[in-house]
Amino acid sequence: MKRTLFSAVLLSGALLMGACNNNKTAEVGTEGMNAAAANANEAAANPTVDNPNVTNETEAPNPNAPVMTFAVSEHDFGDIKPGEVVKHTFEFTNTGKSPLLIENATASCGCTTPNWTKEPIQPGAKGTIDVQFDSHGKMGMQNKEVAIQANTQPSITKVVIKANVLSEGQNGPTR
């Protein structure tokens, strides 16, 4: 009984508050409300992120920023057996003018695990990203991305691995 009474009082209060604010459209005008709603929607769709390594149209890129240069940024394992775990090492060089530091590397799937050089890579030095793919529960063509977040411009660099996981009973090439 108390819940019903409380709910009724709460509902009637909400209706009264809504009725009291009914004339706000006349004060602001329909165009003003629509403009405010459009601005709010645009801000929600395009949030601003403060990243010092990202430039806008008026800013020049940092000429001293580190640059992650991969000899090869995509690797195809070809045909692999179901349940097989394969690994590839991507090698890169810091071709920029300041030390490169990888903050994080994330895979597009839980079946893919990246591991990377943790210490700063000096200009001209090399680093690695090891990517392991576990084909358990996978079948057919697989295409997995690893996003590497570093103090570069742009701040995200991607590498890709591919594999064709054979179905049970199919024999692929012997390794």
Side-chain angles (χ1 to χ4, degrees):
M1 179 74 180
K2 288 183 181 181
R3 282 189 188 170
T4 307
L5 181 60
F6 179 72
S7 297
V9 170
L10 188 61
L11 180 62
S12 62
L15 289 173
L16 284 173
M17 294 298 280
C20 291
N21 292 329
N22 236 1
N23 291 332
K24 290 286 184 188
T25 307
E27 292 173 19
V28 175
T30 307
E31 293 170 4
M33 289 183 74
N34 288 340
N39 289 343
N41 287 340
E42 183 179 325
N46 300 315
T48 303
V49 176
D50 186 25
N51 182 346
N53 291 327
V54 176
T55 61
N56 64 27
E57 296 81 37
T58 59
E59 286 185 74
N62 179 358
N64 296 321
V67 178
M68 186 180 293
T69 304
F70 284 90
V72 178
S73 62
E74 187 174 300
H75 179 74
D76 190 345
F77 290 106
D79 292 339
I80 63 173
K81 295 176 184 175
E84 188 174 357
V85 177
V86 291
K87 183 177 177 180
H88 178 73
T89 300
F90 290 95
E91 189 173 276
F92 63 90
T93 304
N94 178 2
T95 57
K97 296 181 180 177
S98 60
L100 188 152
L101 183 60
I102 297 174
E103 296 170 29
N104 197 9
T106 54
S108 59
C109 175
C111 61
T112 305
T113 310
N115 191 15
W116 60 93
T117 304
K118 305 291 193 257
E119 58 275 345
I121 297 100
Q122 297 302 316
K126 295 185 182 301
T128 59
I129 306 284
D130 295 325
V131 180
Q132 181 175 299
F133 171 66
D134 184 350
S135 67
H136 284 91
K138 305 290 182 195
M139 192 168 63
M141 286 302 300
Q142 302 294 313
N143 187 26
K144 307 298 178 189
E145 279 187 348
V146 175
I148 305 153
Q149 183 178 359
N151 62 337
T152 55
Q153 290 180 348
S155 62
I156 303 289
T157 305
K158 294 182 180 179
V159 293
V160 177
I161 58 168
K162 297 179 180 181
N164 181 31
V165 182
L166 300 171
S167 60
E168 289 292 333
Q170 267 188 309
N171 291 326
T174 56
R175 292 190 189 253

